[in-house]
Amino acid sequence: MTNQAFRFLHASDFRLHEPCLGLVDPPSELVETLIDAPFQAVQRVVDTALTEQVEFVVLSGEIVHPYLGGARSIAFLLEQFQRLDAQEIRVYWAGGTLDPPDQWPASVTLPDNVTFFPRGRVTTVTHHRDDQPLAVLAGRSCLEDGRIHPGEFAANGPGPFRIAVACGSADTETLVAHDVNYWALGGRYNRETPMSKQPVAHYPGSPQGRSIDHDGPHGCTMVRVDAEGGIRTQQSVTDVLRWRTEKITLDSDADRQGVERRLRERAQLLLAENSDRPLLIRWQLGASGKMGAALRHSGLDRELISWLNQSFARSTPAVWTVDIQTRVTENLPAAWYEEDTILGDFLRSVRRMQ
Protein backbone atom coordinates (compact mmCIF):
# COMPACT_ATOMS: atom_id res chain seq x y z
CA MET A 1 0.00 0.00 0.00
CA THR A 2 1.17 3.53 -0.73
CA ASN A 3 2.85 5.63 1.93
CA GLN A 4 2.74 8.76 -0.24
CA ALA A 5 -0.31 10.86 -0.93
CA PHE A 6 -1.04 11.60 -4.57
CA ARG A 7 -3.84 12.55 -6.93
CA PHE A 8 -4.72 11.55 -10.45
CA LEU A 9 -7.43 12.39 -12.97
CA HIS A 10 -9.84 9.73 -14.26
CA ALA A 11 -11.76 10.39 -17.49
CA SER A 12 -13.49 8.35 -20.18
CA ASP A 13 -15.96 8.47 -23.05
CA PHE A 14 -14.63 11.52 -24.86
CA ARG A 15 -16.37 10.16 -27.99
CA LEU A 16 -14.91 12.95 -30.08
CA HIS A 17 -16.57 11.56 -33.20
CA GLU A 18 -20.11 11.90 -31.78
CA PRO A 19 -22.11 15.12 -32.21
CA CYS A 20 -24.86 16.40 -29.94
CA LEU A 21 -28.22 14.98 -31.00
CA GLY A 22 -31.93 15.63 -30.67
CA LEU A 23 -32.29 19.30 -31.60
CA VAL A 24 -34.50 20.59 -34.39
CA ASP A 25 -33.62 23.93 -36.02
CA PRO A 26 -31.48 25.35 -33.20
CA PRO A 27 -30.57 29.05 -33.46
CA SER A 28 -27.48 29.85 -35.48
CA GLU A 29 -25.77 31.19 -32.34
CA LEU A 30 -25.98 27.69 -30.80
CA VAL A 31 -24.88 25.62 -33.80
CA GLU A 32 -21.15 26.26 -33.44
CA THR A 33 -21.30 25.46 -29.71
CA LEU A 34 -23.09 22.18 -30.45
CA ILE A 35 -20.38 21.19 -32.94
CA ASP A 36 -17.43 22.18 -30.76
CA ALA A 37 -18.77 21.17 -27.33
CA PRO A 38 -17.17 17.68 -27.21
CA PHE A 39 -13.77 19.14 -28.08
CA GLN A 40 -14.04 22.07 -25.67
CA ALA A 41 -15.08 19.73 -22.86
CA VAL A 42 -12.05 17.49 -23.41
CA GLN A 43 -9.79 20.54 -23.46
CA ARG A 44 -11.24 21.44 -20.06
CA VAL A 45 -10.39 17.93 -18.84
CA VAL A 46 -6.75 18.50 -19.77
CA ASP A 47 -6.86 22.02 -18.32
CA THR A 48 -7.98 20.47 -15.03
CA ALA A 49 -5.13 17.95 -15.06
CA LEU A 50 -2.60 20.73 -15.68
CA THR A 51 -4.06 23.10 -13.10
CA GLU A 52 -4.24 20.40 -10.42
CA GLN A 53 -0.76 19.13 -11.36
CA VAL A 54 -1.95 15.55 -11.15
CA GLU A 55 0.46 12.66 -10.96
CA PHE A 56 -1.06 11.03 -14.07
CA VAL A 57 -4.23 10.75 -16.15
CA VAL A 58 -6.24 7.53 -16.53
CA LEU A 59 -8.45 7.11 -19.62
CA SER A 60 -10.86 4.18 -19.47
CA GLY A 61 -12.10 3.81 -23.02
CA GLU A 62 -14.36 5.16 -25.77
CA ILE A 63 -12.08 8.14 -26.42
CA VAL A 64 -12.43 8.43 -30.21
CA HIS A 65 -13.23 6.17 -33.13
CA PRO A 66 -10.05 6.65 -35.17
CA TYR A 67 -11.83 6.58 -38.55
CA LEU A 68 -15.23 8.11 -37.79
CA GLY A 69 -13.49 10.91 -35.91
CA GLY A 70 -11.36 11.88 -38.87
CA ALA A 71 -8.22 13.97 -38.97
CA ARG A 72 -9.57 16.73 -36.73
CA SER A 73 -10.27 14.38 -33.81
CA ILE A 74 -6.93 12.59 -34.07
CA ALA A 75 -4.95 15.83 -34.33
CA PHE A 76 -6.86 17.35 -31.42
CA LEU A 77 -6.28 14.31 -29.18
CA LEU A 78 -2.56 14.30 -29.96
CA GLU A 79 -2.39 17.99 -29.13
CA GLN A 80 -3.95 17.33 -25.71
CA PHE A 81 -1.54 14.46 -25.03
CA GLN A 82 1.36 16.74 -25.94
CA ARG A 83 0.11 19.43 -23.55
CA LEU A 84 0.27 16.84 -20.77
CA ASP A 85 3.65 15.59 -21.95
CA ALA A 86 5.07 19.12 -21.72
CA GLN A 87 4.29 19.02 -17.98
CA GLU A 88 5.60 15.44 -17.62
CA ILE A 89 2.13 14.03 -16.91
CA ARG A 90 1.73 10.45 -18.06
CA VAL A 91 -1.44 9.02 -19.62
CA TYR A 92 -2.61 5.43 -19.07
CA TRP A 93 -5.26 4.50 -21.64
CA ALA A 94 -7.39 1.37 -21.92
CA GLY A 95 -9.39 1.31 -25.16
CA GLY A 96 -13.07 0.47 -25.45
CA THR A 97 -15.19 -0.97 -28.24
CA LEU A 98 -14.73 2.24 -30.28
CA ASP A 99 -11.01 2.76 -29.75
CA PRO A 100 -9.19 -0.58 -29.45
CA PRO A 101 -5.43 -0.21 -29.87
CA ASP A 102 -5.31 -2.53 -32.88
CA GLN A 103 -7.52 -0.02 -34.77
CA TRP A 104 -5.25 2.94 -34.09
CA PRO A 105 -3.74 4.21 -37.38
CA ALA A 106 -0.23 2.83 -37.81
CA SER A 107 0.88 6.14 -39.32
CA VAL A 108 -0.02 8.09 -36.16
CA THR A 109 2.53 7.82 -33.37
CA LEU A 110 1.37 8.48 -29.83
CA PRO A 111 3.59 10.70 -27.64
CA ASP A 112 6.01 8.95 -25.29
CA ASN A 113 3.94 9.84 -22.22
CA VAL A 114 1.01 7.66 -23.38
CA THR A 115 0.70 3.99 -22.40
CA PHE A 116 -2.01 2.30 -24.49
CA PHE A 117 -2.95 -1.00 -22.85
CA PRO A 118 -3.34 -3.93 -25.30
CA ARG A 119 -6.55 -5.90 -25.74
CA GLY A 120 -5.24 -9.46 -25.51
CA ARG A 121 -4.04 -9.47 -21.91
CA VAL A 122 -3.89 -7.42 -18.72
CA THR A 123 -0.64 -5.46 -18.61
CA THR A 124 0.78 -3.85 -15.48
CA VAL A 125 2.78 -0.63 -15.28
CA THR A 126 4.34 0.82 -12.13
CA HIS A 127 4.20 4.58 -11.83
CA HIS A 128 7.13 6.07 -9.90
CA ARG A 129 7.71 9.32 -8.07
CA ASP A 130 11.34 10.17 -7.36
CA ASP A 131 12.32 6.61 -8.24
CA GLN A 132 9.89 5.24 -5.63
CA PRO A 133 6.89 3.08 -6.72
CA LEU A 134 3.71 5.08 -6.20
CA ALA A 135 0.97 3.05 -7.89
CA VAL A 136 0.54 -0.01 -10.07
CA LEU A 137 -1.85 0.30 -13.01
CA ALA A 138 -3.25 -2.93 -14.42
CA GLY A 139 -5.02 -2.31 -17.70
CA ARG A 140 -6.51 -4.02 -20.68
CA SER A 141 -8.45 -2.64 -23.60
CA CYS A 142 -12.01 -3.85 -24.00
CA LEU A 143 -12.80 -7.40 -25.11
CA GLU A 144 -15.31 -7.87 -27.92
CA ASP A 145 -18.07 -8.94 -25.50
CA GLY A 146 -17.60 -5.80 -23.40
CA ARG A 147 -17.19 -7.80 -20.20
CA ILE A 148 -14.57 -7.20 -17.51
CA HIS A 149 -13.04 -10.27 -15.87
CA PRO A 150 -11.88 -8.98 -12.48
CA GLY A 151 -9.66 -11.93 -11.60
CA GLU A 152 -7.27 -11.03 -14.39
CA PHE A 153 -6.52 -7.68 -12.71
CA ALA A 154 -5.69 -9.16 -9.31
CA ALA A 155 -2.41 -8.52 -7.50
CA ASN A 156 0.00 -11.29 -6.61
CA GLY A 157 0.42 -10.23 -3.01
CA PRO A 158 0.99 -6.88 -1.25
CA GLY A 159 2.27 -3.95 -3.22
CA PRO A 160 1.68 -0.27 -4.04
CA PHE A 161 -1.77 1.23 -4.52
CA ARG A 162 -3.39 -0.72 -7.36
CA ILE A 163 -5.59 0.75 -10.09
CA ALA A 164 -7.44 -1.44 -12.60
CA VAL A 165 -8.17 0.35 -15.89
CA ALA A 166 -10.91 -1.18 -18.05
CA CYS A 167 -13.86 -0.34 -20.26
CA GLY A 168 -17.06 -2.37 -20.02
CA SER A 169 -19.21 -3.88 -17.30
CA ALA A 170 -18.81 -6.40 -14.50
CA ASP A 171 -20.90 -7.67 -11.61
CA THR A 172 -20.15 -5.38 -8.69
CA GLU A 173 -19.69 -8.17 -6.18
CA THR A 174 -16.94 -9.72 -8.31
CA LEU A 175 -14.82 -6.57 -8.08
CA VAL A 176 -14.26 -6.78 -4.32
CA ALA A 177 -11.96 -9.76 -3.84
CA HIS A 178 -9.05 -9.01 -6.16
CA ASP A 179 -6.70 -6.67 -4.23
CA VAL A 180 -7.57 -3.70 -6.45
CA ASN A 181 -7.95 -0.37 -4.65
CA TYR A 182 -9.59 1.62 -7.46
CA TRP A 183 -11.46 0.34 -10.51
CA ALA A 184 -11.14 3.02 -13.21
CA LEU A 185 -14.04 2.03 -15.44
CA GLY A 186 -15.43 3.46 -18.66
CA GLY A 187 -18.06 2.90 -21.30
CA ARG A 188 -20.98 4.91 -19.86
CA TYR A 189 -22.14 8.40 -20.76
CA ASN A 190 -23.33 9.24 -17.25
CA ARG A 191 -21.31 9.32 -14.04
CA GLU A 192 -21.80 6.27 -11.82
CA THR A 193 -20.09 4.89 -8.72
CA PRO A 194 -21.12 1.23 -8.26
CA MET A 195 -18.82 0.94 -5.24
CA SER A 196 -17.98 3.98 -3.07
CA LYS A 197 -15.99 2.27 -0.30
CA GLN A 198 -12.71 0.47 -0.76
CA PRO A 199 -12.38 -0.84 -3.28
CA VAL A 200 -13.90 2.05 -5.20
CA ALA A 201 -15.41 1.34 -8.64
CA HIS A 202 -16.20 4.41 -10.69
CA TYR A 203 -17.38 5.52 -14.14
CA PRO A 204 -16.65 9.25 -14.65
CA GLY A 205 -19.02 9.48 -17.64
CA SER A 206 -18.51 11.62 -20.71
CA PRO A 207 -17.09 15.14 -20.26
CA GLN A 208 -19.97 16.36 -22.45
CA GLY A 209 -23.51 14.98 -22.66
CA ARG A 210 -24.74 14.36 -26.19
CA SER A 211 -28.54 14.12 -25.76
CA ILE A 212 -31.38 14.69 -23.33
CA ASP A 213 -30.73 11.22 -21.90
CA HIS A 214 -27.43 12.59 -20.54
CA ASP A 215 -29.09 14.82 -17.99
CA GLY A 216 -27.20 17.06 -15.57
CA PRO A 217 -23.52 17.99 -15.08
CA HIS A 218 -20.79 16.07 -16.93
CA GLY A 219 -17.06 16.08 -16.40
CA CYS A 220 -14.10 14.06 -15.20
CA THR A 221 -13.10 12.83 -11.75
CA MET A 222 -10.27 13.94 -9.50
CA VAL A 223 -9.09 11.02 -7.36
CA ARG A 224 -7.14 11.84 -4.20
CA VAL A 225 -5.29 9.07 -2.37
CA ASP A 226 -3.96 9.76 1.12
CA ALA A 227 -0.86 8.23 2.69
CA GLU A 228 -2.93 5.40 4.21
CA GLY A 229 -4.53 4.54 0.87
CA GLY A 230 -7.84 6.27 1.58
CA ILE A 231 -9.67 7.43 -1.55
CA ARG A 232 -11.70 10.57 -2.17
CA THR A 233 -13.30 11.31 -5.53
CA GLN A 234 -14.65 14.63 -6.75
CA GLN A 235 -16.27 15.55 -10.04
CA SER A 236 -14.67 18.34 -12.05
CA VAL A 237 -17.39 19.76 -14.28
CA THR A 238 -16.32 20.29 -17.89
CA ASP A 239 -19.50 20.35 -19.99
CA VAL A 240 -19.90 23.30 -22.34
CA LEU A 241 -23.66 22.99 -22.63
CA ARG A 242 -26.03 21.08 -20.35
CA TRP A 243 -29.11 18.95 -20.83
CA ARG A 244 -31.84 19.27 -18.21
CA THR A 245 -35.19 17.61 -17.53
CA GLU A 246 -37.52 19.97 -15.68
CA LYS A 247 -40.75 18.73 -14.08
CA ILE A 248 -43.71 20.99 -13.38
CA THR A 249 -47.09 19.94 -11.96
CA LEU A 250 -49.87 22.23 -13.15
CA ASP A 251 -52.97 23.17 -11.17
CA SER A 252 -56.15 21.36 -12.15
CA ASP A 253 -57.72 24.63 -13.36
CA ALA A 254 -54.61 25.88 -15.18
CA ASP A 255 -55.17 27.82 -18.40
CA ARG A 256 -52.68 28.71 -21.11
CA GLN A 257 -51.61 31.93 -19.43
CA GLY A 258 -50.96 30.03 -16.22
CA VAL A 259 -48.87 27.43 -18.03
CA GLU A 260 -46.82 30.11 -19.79
CA ARG A 261 -46.29 31.90 -16.48
CA ARG A 262 -44.98 28.72 -14.77
CA LEU A 263 -42.67 27.94 -17.69
CA ARG A 264 -41.36 31.52 -17.86
CA GLU A 265 -40.65 31.62 -14.13
CA ARG A 266 -38.79 28.30 -14.19
CA ALA A 267 -36.78 29.28 -17.28
CA GLN A 268 -35.76 32.56 -15.65
CA LEU A 269 -34.72 30.70 -12.51
CA LEU A 270 -32.62 28.28 -14.56
CA LEU A 271 -30.94 31.20 -16.30
CA ALA A 272 -30.02 32.71 -12.95
CA GLU A 273 -28.66 29.40 -11.62
CA ASN A 274 -26.74 28.45 -14.80
CA SER A 275 -25.24 31.67 -16.07
CA ASP A 276 -22.14 30.05 -17.59
CA ARG A 277 -23.44 27.57 -20.18
CA PRO A 278 -26.41 27.07 -22.55
CA LEU A 279 -29.20 24.80 -21.35
CA LEU A 280 -31.11 22.26 -23.47
CA ILE A 281 -34.35 21.43 -21.71
CA ARG A 282 -37.01 18.75 -21.82
CA TRP A 283 -40.09 19.88 -19.91
CA GLN A 284 -42.26 17.24 -18.25
CA LEU A 285 -45.65 18.72 -17.38
CA GLY A 286 -48.08 16.97 -15.04
CA ALA A 287 -51.56 18.14 -16.06
CA SER A 288 -55.18 17.15 -15.60
CA GLY A 289 -58.57 18.11 -16.99
CA LYS A 290 -58.83 20.21 -20.12
CA MET A 291 -55.22 21.34 -19.96
CA GLY A 292 -53.97 17.74 -19.95
CA ALA A 293 -56.07 17.00 -23.04
CA ALA A 294 -54.96 20.21 -24.77
CA LEU A 295 -51.28 19.48 -24.21
CA ARG A 296 -51.60 15.96 -25.53
CA HIS A 297 -54.00 16.35 -28.42
CA SER A 298 -54.46 19.95 -29.61
CA GLY A 299 -50.93 20.87 -30.55
CA LEU A 300 -50.55 23.24 -27.61
CA ASP A 301 -47.27 21.54 -26.67
CA ARG A 302 -45.74 22.48 -30.03
CA GLU A 303 -46.98 26.05 -29.68
CA LEU A 304 -45.39 26.30 -26.23
CA ILE A 305 -42.07 24.96 -27.56
CA SER A 306 -42.08 27.64 -30.25
CA TRP A 307 -42.99 30.36 -27.73
CA LEU A 308 -40.27 29.27 -25.28
CA ASN A 309 -37.59 29.21 -27.95
CA GLN A 310 -38.58 32.63 -29.28
CA SER A 311 -38.43 33.96 -25.71
CA PHE A 312 -35.23 32.34 -24.41
CA ALA A 313 -33.13 30.87 -27.24
CA ARG A 314 -31.24 34.11 -27.71
CA SER A 315 -30.78 34.91 -24.05
CA THR A 316 -27.30 34.82 -22.55
CA PRO A 317 -26.73 31.95 -22.17
CA ALA A 318 -29.31 30.35 -24.43
CA VAL A 319 -32.12 28.22 -23.03
CA TRP A 320 -33.40 25.93 -25.78
CA THR A 321 -36.48 23.76 -25.33
CA VAL A 322 -35.96 20.34 -26.90
CA ASP A 323 -39.32 18.78 -26.04
CA ILE A 324 -42.44 19.02 -23.89
CA GLN A 325 -43.84 15.79 -22.48
CA THR A 326 -47.21 15.61 -20.75
CA ARG A 327 -48.11 13.29 -17.90
CA VAL A 328 -51.84 13.13 -17.22
CA THR A 329 -52.52 13.30 -13.47
CA GLU A 330 -56.27 12.79 -13.55
CA ASN A 331 -57.70 11.38 -10.28
CA LEU A 332 -60.46 8.95 -11.22
CA PRO A 333 -63.20 7.89 -8.78
CA ALA A 334 -62.07 4.88 -6.71
CA ALA A 335 -65.34 3.09 -7.46
CA TRP A 336 -64.45 2.89 -11.15
CA TYR A 337 -61.53 0.61 -10.29
CA GLU A 338 -63.90 -1.81 -8.52
CA GLU A 339 -66.44 -2.12 -11.32
CA ASP A 340 -66.97 -5.56 -12.86
CA THR A 341 -66.84 -4.00 -16.32
CA ILE A 342 -64.45 -3.62 -19.23
CA LEU A 343 -63.57 -0.17 -17.84
CA GLY A 344 -62.82 -1.61 -14.41
CA ASP A 345 -60.65 -4.37 -15.93
CA PHE A 346 -58.77 -1.78 -17.99
CA LEU A 347 -58.12 0.58 -15.07
CA ARG A 348 -56.94 -2.26 -12.84
CA SER A 349 -54.56 -3.41 -15.58
CA VAL A 350 -53.15 0.07 -15.99
CA ARG A 351 -52.63 0.40 -12.23
CA ARG A 352 -50.77 -2.92 -12.11
CA MET A 353 -48.53 -1.84 -14.98
CA GLN A 354 -47.79 1.46 -13.26
Side-chain angles (χ1 to χ4, degrees):
M1 183 62 65
T2 182
N3 57 6
Q4 299 184 73
F6 66 97
R7 59 184 178 271
F8 65 93
L9 186 144
H10 177 199
S12 72
D13 293 81
F14 291 177
R15 300 175 183 263
L16 289 170
H17 56 284
E18 292 186 8
C20 295
L21 303 172
L23 277 74
V24 178
D25 296 327
S28 57
E29 297 89 342
L30 199 53
V31 170
E32 185 174 345
T33 302
L34 288 165
I35 294 171
D36 288 340
F39 295 89
Q40 293 181 35
V42 170
Q43 184 164 319
R44 290 180 179 182
V45 170
V46 175
D47 291 345
T48 301
L50 296 172
T51 300
E52 294 287 341
Q53 298 180 321
V54 297
E55 196 73 37
F56 51 83
V57 172
V58 174
L59 301 180
S60 49
E62 314 300 34
I63 300 303
V64 61
H65 191 294
Y67 299 107
L68 295 180
R72 179 193 181 187
S73 296
I74 298 295
F76 172 81
L77 187 62
L78 292 177
E79 178 186 346
Q80 302 312 308
F81 287 158
Q82 289 160 359
R83 292 178 65 204
L84 294 168
D85 192 23
Q87 297 300 317
E88 299 183 344
I89 297 176
R90 294 202 61 82
V91 178
Y92 300 101
W93 177 10
T97 57
L98 300 171
D99 57 346
D102 50 346
Q103 294 295 316
W104 188 257
S107 59
V108 180
T109 302
L110 292 169
D112 292 338
N113 65 320
V114 179
T115 297
F116 203 170
F117 292 111
R119 182 152 62 173
R121 66 188 186 283
V122 173
T123 302
T124 59
V125 179
T126 301
H127 184 91
H128 293 80
R129 177 198 285 169
D130 299 328
D131 296 326
Q132 296 297 316
L134 190 66
V136 171
L137 296 101
R140 180 173 67 185
S141 292
C142 186
L143 298 176
E144 291 182 0
D145 63 1
R147 296 293 298 173
I148 298 170
H149 303 281
E152 299 177 3
F153 295 83
N156 296 317
F161 188 90
R162 192 173 184 86
I163 302 167
V165 189
C167 181
S169 58
D171 296 328
T172 303
E173 56 271 16
T174 66
L175 300 177
V176 177
H178 298 290
D179 299 321
V180 171
N181 302 101
Y182 183 89
W183 290 91
L185 305 177
R188 298 184 183 177
Y189 282 100
N190 294 325
R191 177 182 174 90
E192 297 180 38
T193 306
M195 292 161 42
S196 58
K197 298 180 180 179
Q198 282 227 31
V200 171
H202 180 67
Y203 294 86
S206 177
Q208 174 60 61
R210 298 304 201 279
S211 75
I212 194 62
D213 293 327
H214 310 150
D215 187 272
H218 280 70
C220 55
T221 297
M222 286 295 305
V223 184
R224 292 176 170 84
V225 182
D226 63 31
E228 288 72 42
I231 301 170
R232 184 163 60 92
T233 62
Q234 180 180 5
Q235 185 181 40
S236 294
V237 175
T238 61
D239 52 0
V240 177
L241 48 83
R242 184 166 300 167
W243 306 82
R244 290 282 297 260
T245 297
E246 291 294 316
K247 298 180 180 181
I248 294 178
T249 300
L250 302 173
D251 296 333
S252 58
D253 58 348
D255 57 11
R256 177 165 180 160
Q257 284 186 327
V259 176
E260 290 182 355
R261 176 179 55 80
R262 292 290 302 278
L263 289 169
R264 183 188 303 108
E265 289 173 351
R266 182 68 64 86
Q268 290 171 341
L269 178 62
L270 290 171
L271 265 174
E273 293 176 345
N274 299 271
S275 59
D276 54 349
R277 57 176 54 81
L279 296 177
L280 309 171
I281 300 180
R282 172 175 59 194
W283 301 93
Q284 293 184 339
L285 305 182
S288 60
K290 293 181 179 179
M291 181 52 62
L295 285 167
R296 299 192 71 180
H297 303 298
S298 72
L300 177 58
D301 56 344
R302 294 187 295 275
E303 294 177 16
L304 289 172
I305 290 173
S306 178
W307 168 75
L308 281 164
N309 287 335
Q310 289 175 7
S311 302
F312 293 99
R314 288 178 171 80
S315 58
T316 304
V319 176
W320 182 262
T321 292
V322 178
D323 189 22
I324 290 179
Q325 298 178 338
T326 304
R327 177 175 54 88
V328 176
T329 59
E330 198 79 64
N331 293 320
L332 301 177
W336 290 11
Y337 288 87
E338 307 303 324
E339 289 183 3
D340 188 17
T341 62
I342 293 175
L343 174 61
D345 290 340
F346 172 74
L347 293 175
R348 287 190 291 273
S349 296
V350 170
R351 184 163 58 185
R352 283 195 298 271
M353 293 172 66
Q354 290 173 336

